[in-house]
Amino acid sequence: MKLTHLGSTSKNGGCPEAYETDRGTFVVQGTRVTDPEALAILRNRGLPDHETAVEIPKELVEFFREARG
């Protein structure tokens, strides 16, 4: 999978980061959701055990909009 860096709202090169892939998808680097209540809701909505959820700031979404043109 080829990753193209779209942008970050981080000042130090860390999380969060947004990437576009050569598969027509996006990859997000963010803070892992560990809150038990939030995870229970996600599991009830179908999040399987082999997947996780990450939290990103709203400001990161602009990089996806720019990539989609």
Side-chain angles (χ1 to χ4, degrees), residues 4-55:
T4 301
H5 184 256
L6 298 176
S8 175
T9 57
S10 173
K11 302 295 185 223
N12 61 8
C15 164
E17 301 274 348
Y19 299 88
E20 187 171 15
T21 75
D22 60 346
R23 300 179 185 187
T25 61
F26 295 102
V27 172
V28 177
Q29 176 186 342
T31 303
R32 184 187 313 246
V33 175
T34 59
D35 179 80
E37 185 177 349
L39 287 172
I41 291 168
L42 292 167
R43 297 278 181 233
N44 285 338
R45 294 190 49 83
L47 182 71
D49 289 338
H50 68 277
E51 293 183 2
T52 191
V54 297
E55 185 176 11

